[in-house]
Amino acid sequence: MSDKIFIFDTTLRDGEQVPGCQLNTIEKIEVARTLEALGVDVIEAGFPVSSPGDFNSVVEISKAVSNPIICALTRAVEKDIDVAAEALKFAKRGRIHTGIGTSPYHIKSKLNSNPDEILDRAVRAVKYAKRYVEDVEFYAEDAGRSDNEYLARVVEAVIKAGATVINIPDTTGYCLPGEYGAKIKYLMENVSNVHKAILSTHCHNDLGMATANSLSGVLNGARQVEVTVNGIGERAGNTALEEVVMAIKTHHGLPFHTNINSQGIFDASRLVSSLMNMPVQANKAIVGRNAFAHSSGIHQDGVLKNRENYEIIDPVDVGIKESAIVLTARSGRAALNHHLSQMGYTLTKEQLDDTYNRFLVVADQKKNLSEKDLSELMGDANDLQKSVELELLQVVSGKSTLPMAIVHLKIKGVSCAATAEGNGPIDACFNAVKKLIEQEFTLGEFLVQALTRGSNDLGKVHVQVEHKGRVHYGFGANVDIITASVEALADALSKII
């Protein structure tokens, strides 16, 4: 049996079903090209019969990417399959993904049918799709709650009809890992022609076990895993691409590999988060802001001595430059000394002890300490004022108006101004700021949060700026979210200048 695990990405189909996260065709093409660069084997580009927009997206994605298989979803309905085939006509390698529900819930209450009729419809759908493409994937919807013996009958029949991939979805996220793995194992042992097709996992995260179930499926014979970037998707989401890929890569004892270029994971995560307006939770595995951040003194000391003491993944392997040592009241002397040495301070043991005692007093009053706080702690009067301060901001924006911003900054006590245009009011403001700042910097993260409720919300903005290999954070809060954004950027740039 092959040890390669095929990565089937459904960010643009199942992932896009999240309310409020729909993408236009241009955005979908951008995501598809990123997935291609990442190395995914299959891109499920949409459900063509569902809307003209979905149909057009499948067409354009088929033209835009060359290496991955482009897959289109259908129901076990001839019209669906006809439309999918038409949408895939430009694909270098096209796949039709058709199927039907196989659980008692779906057969009786959703489809108002019986097991024999469902089996017949499944076979007819596969044979019909086979008229258009050689590569046909069949999904047994709600397989997680389907009877194993009946599921095996359906799988055997659709493979005989020509299905090349069999998707075993835990549609409702119901299964436990052992239960789902046993289901895959049962099919491997009881479907006589299973060697003629690839079994695929498609797990949802309703009980928080999508990744565990997917890996259990792989351990029991599945060779394709259906995933989304950041684990987005219906309800609680789908199996996260980054979690499966890094679990396989990290566990060297597993005899599996994928084609994923893991160093592109973080950038792909941020792109999907930005385009779909879905912030990644801070403690999200692999790609969350805190995934490689350490604030406990014991952990910080261990990481500074040897990263592998507390990190099983090198952040560089997923496209993050370095771990973050965050200064809080739980931090120890090693972390404090690490930050101070980066700022150019060299302390004796006695000086460090004295500074640490004063540090704890300040840290108990703040959630975390910045370089400005450390400068004040060290008595550096030159850093008591921010190097970059916002003096004036004027923005013109609207439906029929090209966004334009006038920004006045005080940089090291000298006032200066710039005007710039942008794709939106915040982009225009940031472009104006870039004109005033001599240093090269890259905006790594931009996060907006509402602190209160109502139309007069107080908004908090968090930005992450990279300069010469180092990451600096900035924060701003204001009822005007554009002002808060510029203040957050100014805060971050102060730490550079």
Side-chain angles (χ1 to χ4, degrees), residues 116-135:
D116 289 337
E117 183 182 347
I118 293 300
L119 190 149
D120 181 60
R121 288 175 62 180
V123 168
R124 281 190 283 117
V126 170
K127 287 182 176 178
Y128 193 77
K130 204 75 175 174
R131 295 167 53 182
Y132 290 111
V133 294
E134 181 58 33
D135 190 4

mmCIF file of all heavy atoms in Angstrom, residues 116-135:
data_model
loop_
_atom_site.group_PDB
_atom_site.id
_atom_site.type_symbol
_atom_site.label_atom_id
_atom_site.label_comp_id
_atom_site.label_asym_id
_atom_site.label_seq_id
_atom_site.Cartn_x
_atom_site.Cartn_y
_atom_site.Cartn_z
ATOM 1 N N ASP A 116 -32.007 -0.140 -0.774
ATOM 2 C CA ASP A 116 -31.781 -0.678 -2.117
ATOM 3 C C ASP A 116 -31.858 0.417 -3.174
ATOM 4 O O ASP A 116 -31.057 0.448 -4.122
ATOM 5 C CB ASP A 116 -32.808 -1.775 -2.426
ATOM 6 C CG ASP A 116 -32.561 -3.039 -1.613
ATOM 7 O OD1 ASP A 116 -31.410 -3.230 -1.175
ATOM 8 O OD2 ASP A 116 -33.506 -3.826 -1.422
ATOM 9 N N GLU A 117 -32.810 1.314 -3.025
ATOM 10 C CA GLU A 117 -32.938 2.409 -3.992
ATOM 11 C C GLU A 117 -31.733 3.340 -3.925
ATOM 12 O O GLU A 117 -31.235 3.807 -4.951
ATOM 13 C CB GLU A 117 -34.219 3.199 -3.728
ATOM 14 C CG GLU A 117 -34.454 4.309 -4.751
ATOM 15 C CD GLU A 117 -35.698 5.135 -4.459
ATOM 16 O OE1 GLU A 117 -36.519 4.723 -3.616
ATOM 17 O OE2 GLU A 117 -35.844 6.216 -5.077
ATOM 18 N N ILE A 118 -31.254 3.611 -2.716
ATOM 19 C CA ILE A 118 -30.078 4.475 -2.550
ATOM 20 C C ILE A 118 -28.868 3.849 -3.213
ATOM 21 O O ILE A 118 -28.091 4.531 -3.907
ATOM 22 C CB ILE A 118 -29.806 4.738 -1.053
ATOM 23 C CG1 ILE A 118 -30.919 5.585 -0.442
ATOM 24 C CG2 ILE A 118 -28.446 5.407 -0.862
ATOM 25 C CD1 ILE A 118 -31.105 6.945 -1.092
ATOM 26 N N LEU A 119 -28.676 2.556 -3.036
ATOM 27 C CA LEU A 119 -27.543 1.865 -3.656
ATOM 28 C C LEU A 119 -27.631 1.976 -5.180
ATOM 29 O O LEU A 119 -26.630 2.248 -5.854
ATOM 30 C CB LEU A 119 -27.520 0.400 -3.224
ATOM 31 C CG LEU A 119 -26.248 -0.391 -3.594
ATOM 32 C CD1 LEU A 119 -25.975 -1.479 -2.554
ATOM 33 C CD2 LEU A 119 -26.357 -1.030 -4.968
ATOM 34 N N ASP A 120 -28.836 1.807 -5.712
ATOM 35 C CA ASP A 120 -29.032 1.896 -7.160
ATOM 36 C C ASP A 120 -28.732 3.307 -7.667
ATOM 37 O O ASP A 120 -28.086 3.487 -8.705
ATOM 38 C CB ASP A 120 -30.468 1.501 -7.499
ATOM 39 C CG ASP A 120 -30.731 1.539 -8.999
ATOM 40 O OD1 ASP A 120 -30.047 0.802 -9.735
ATOM 41 O OD2 ASP A 120 -31.607 2.321 -9.421
ATOM 42 N N ARG A 121 -29.189 4.331 -6.944
ATOM 43 C CA ARG A 121 -28.937 5.714 -7.344
ATOM 44 C C ARG A 121 -27.445 6.029 -7.305
ATOM 45 O O ARG A 121 -26.922 6.767 -8.154
ATOM 46 C CB ARG A 121 -29.710 6.674 -6.445
ATOM 47 C CG ARG A 121 -31.218 6.678 -6.703
ATOM 48 C CD ARG A 121 -31.962 7.553 -5.708
ATOM 49 N NE ARG A 121 -31.557 8.963 -5.786
ATOM 50 C CZ ARG A 121 -32.074 9.909 -5.018
ATOM 51 N NH1 ARG A 121 -33.013 9.597 -4.106
ATOM 52 N NH2 ARG A 121 -31.676 11.162 -5.142
ATOM 53 N N ALA A 122 -26.761 5.481 -6.313
ATOM 54 C CA ALA A 122 -25.315 5.700 -6.192
ATOM 55 C C ALA A 122 -24.580 5.133 -7.401
ATOM 56 O O ALA A 122 -23.720 5.802 -7.998
ATOM 57 C CB ALA A 122 -24.799 5.064 -4.910
ATOM 58 N N VAL A 123 -24.917 3.925 -7.768
ATOM 59 C CA VAL A 123 -24.262 3.275 -8.904
ATOM 60 C C VAL A 123 -24.554 4.028 -10.200
ATOM 61 O O VAL A 123 -23.655 4.279 -11.017
ATOM 62 C CB VAL A 123 -24.725 1.803 -9.007
ATOM 63 C CG1 VAL A 123 -24.277 1.197 -10.344
ATOM 64 C CG2 VAL A 123 -24.172 0.992 -7.842
ATOM 65 N N ARG A 124 -25.798 4.438 -10.389
ATOM 66 C CA ARG A 124 -26.162 5.148 -11.610
ATOM 67 C C ARG A 124 -25.429 6.493 -11.708
ATOM 68 O O ARG A 124 -25.020 6.912 -12.798
ATOM 69 C CB ARG A 124 -27.677 5.346 -11.666
ATOM 70 C CG ARG A 124 -28.427 4.090 -12.115
ATOM 71 C CD ARG A 124 -29.890 4.342 -12.406
ATOM 72 N NE ARG A 124 -30.686 4.450 -11.185
ATOM 73 C CZ ARG A 124 -31.334 5.521 -10.794
ATOM 74 N NH1 ARG A 124 -31.274 6.627 -11.518
ATOM 75 N NH2 ARG A 124 -32.034 5.531 -9.679
ATOM 76 N N ALA A 125 -25.283 7.167 -10.571
ATOM 77 C CA ALA A 125 -24.579 8.459 -10.577
ATOM 78 C C ALA A 125 -23.117 8.294 -10.968
ATOM 79 O O ALA A 125 -22.571 9.084 -11.761
ATOM 80 C CB ALA A 125 -24.691 9.119 -9.212
ATOM 81 N N VAL A 126 -22.462 7.283 -10.432
ATOM 82 C CA VAL A 126 -21.054 7.045 -10.759
ATOM 83 C C VAL A 126 -20.905 6.691 -12.240
ATOM 84 O O VAL A 126 -20.022 7.211 -12.937
ATOM 85 C CB VAL A 126 -20.465 5.939 -9.864
ATOM 86 C CG1 VAL A 126 -19.081 5.521 -10.356
ATOM 87 C CG2 VAL A 126 -20.370 6.411 -8.417
ATOM 88 N N LYS A 127 -21.755 5.830 -12.728
ATOM 89 C CA LYS A 127 -21.674 5.445 -14.141
ATOM 90 C C LYS A 127 -21.920 6.647 -15.050
ATOM 91 O O LYS A 127 -21.263 6.803 -16.088
ATOM 92 C CB LYS A 127 -22.694 4.344 -14.444
ATOM 93 C CG LYS A 127 -22.312 2.970 -13.879
ATOM 94 C CD LYS A 127 -23.343 1.925 -14.264
ATOM 95 C CE LYS A 127 -22.921 0.535 -13.786
ATOM 96 N NZ LYS A 127 -23.947 -0.497 -14.124
ATOM 97 N N TYR A 128 -22.842 7.502 -14.647
ATOM 98 C CA TYR A 128 -23.147 8.683 -15.461
ATOM 99 C C TYR A 128 -21.957 9.653 -15.463
ATOM 100 O O TYR A 128 -21.582 10.189 -16.509
ATOM 101 C CB TYR A 128 -24.398 9.385 -14.924
ATOM 102 C CG TYR A 128 -24.960 10.415 -15.858
ATOM 103 C CD1 TYR A 128 -25.703 10.037 -16.975
ATOM 104 C CD2 TYR A 128 -24.747 11.775 -15.638
ATOM 105 C CE1 TYR A 128 -26.214 10.990 -17.854
ATOM 106 C CE2 TYR A 128 -25.251 12.730 -16.510
ATOM 107 C CZ TYR A 128 -25.992 12.335 -17.616
ATOM 108 O OH TYR A 128 -26.488 13.278 -18.482
ATOM 109 N N ALA A 129 -21.357 9.875 -14.296
ATOM 110 C CA ALA A 129 -20.190 10.758 -14.209
ATOM 111 C C ALA A 129 -19.015 10.199 -15.002
ATOM 112 O O ALA A 129 -18.212 10.947 -15.578
ATOM 113 C CB ALA A 129 -19.798 10.957 -12.751
ATOM 114 N N LYS A 130 -18.938 8.888 -15.046
ATOM 115 C CA LYS A 130 -17.837 8.220 -15.749
ATOM 116 C C LYS A 130 -17.888 8.488 -17.259
ATOM 117 O O LYS A 130 -16.869 8.345 -17.950
ATOM 118 C CB LYS A 130 -17.926 6.718 -15.471
ATOM 119 C CG LYS A 130 -16.619 5.960 -15.616
ATOM 120 C CD LYS A 130 -15.679 6.198 -14.463
ATOM 121 C CE LYS A 130 -14.444 5.306 -14.621
ATOM 122 N NZ LYS A 130 -13.424 5.586 -13.609
ATOM 123 N N ARG A 131 -19.037 8.898 -17.762
ATOM 124 C CA ARG A 131 -19.154 9.245 -19.180
ATOM 125 C C ARG A 131 -18.355 10.505 -19.509
ATOM 126 O O ARG A 131 -17.984 10.732 -20.651
ATOM 127 C CB ARG A 131 -20.626 9.459 -19.548
ATOM 128 C CG ARG A 131 -21.482 8.204 -19.438
ATOM 129 C CD ARG A 131 -22.966 8.522 -19.500
ATOM 130 N NE ARG A 131 -23.333 9.332 -20.664
ATOM 131 C CZ ARG A 131 -24.557 9.778 -20.918
ATOM 132 N NH1 ARG A 131 -25.541 9.500 -20.064
ATOM 133 N NH2 ARG A 131 -24.810 10.501 -21.991
ATOM 134 N N TYR A 132 -18.123 11.324 -18.489
ATOM 135 C CA TYR A 132 -17.434 12.603 -18.696
ATOM 136 C C TYR A 132 -15.957 12.567 -18.306
ATOM 137 O O TYR A 132 -15.118 13.172 -18.974
ATOM 138 C CB TYR A 132 -18.116 13.699 -17.889
ATOM 139 C CG TYR A 132 -19.480 14.100 -18.391
ATOM 140 C CD1 TYR A 132 -20.630 13.803 -17.669
ATOM 141 C CD2 TYR A 132 -19.622 14.799 -19.593
ATOM 142 C CE1 TYR A 132 -21.886 14.184 -18.112
ATOM 143 C CE2 TYR A 132 -20.870 15.193 -20.052
ATOM 144 C CZ TYR A 132 -22.008 14.884 -19.310
ATOM 145 O OH TYR A 132 -23.238 15.269 -19.767
ATOM 146 N N VAL A 133 -15.660 11.940 -17.181
ATOM 147 C CA VAL A 133 -14.279 11.934 -16.669
ATOM 148 C C VAL A 133 -13.905 10.532 -16.191
ATOM 149 O O VAL A 133 -14.767 9.751 -15.791
ATOM 150 C CB VAL A 133 -14.096 12.927 -15.496
ATOM 151 C CG1 VAL A 133 -14.263 14.354 -15.955
ATOM 152 C CG2 VAL A 133 -15.063 12.613 -14.360
ATOM 153 N N GLU A 134 -12.629 10.260 -16.233
ATOM 154 C CA GLU A 134 -12.151 8.967 -15.745
ATOM 155 C C GLU A 134 -12.100 8.946 -14.221
ATOM 156 O O GLU A 134 -12.323 7.923 -13.587
ATOM 157 C CB GLU A 134 -10.755 8.682 -16.324
ATOM 158 C CG GLU A 134 -10.159 7.354 -15.899
ATOM 159 C CD GLU A 134 -11.025 6.151 -16.265
ATOM 160 O OE1 GLU A 134 -11.705 6.209 -17.313
ATOM 161 O OE2 GLU A 134 -11.039 5.167 -15.491
ATOM 162 N N ASP A 135 -11.784 10.118 -13.650
ATOM 163 C CA ASP A 135 -11.591 10.227 -12.193
ATOM 164 C C ASP A 135 -12.909 10.636 -11.529
ATOM 165 O O ASP A 135 -13.318 11.799 -11.596
ATOM 166 C CB ASP A 135 -10.503 11.269 -11.921
ATOM 167 C CG ASP A 135 -10.047 11.281 -10.467
ATOM 168 O OD1 ASP A 135 -10.522 10.441 -9.681
ATOM 169 O OD2 ASP A 135 -9.210 12.141 -10.127
#
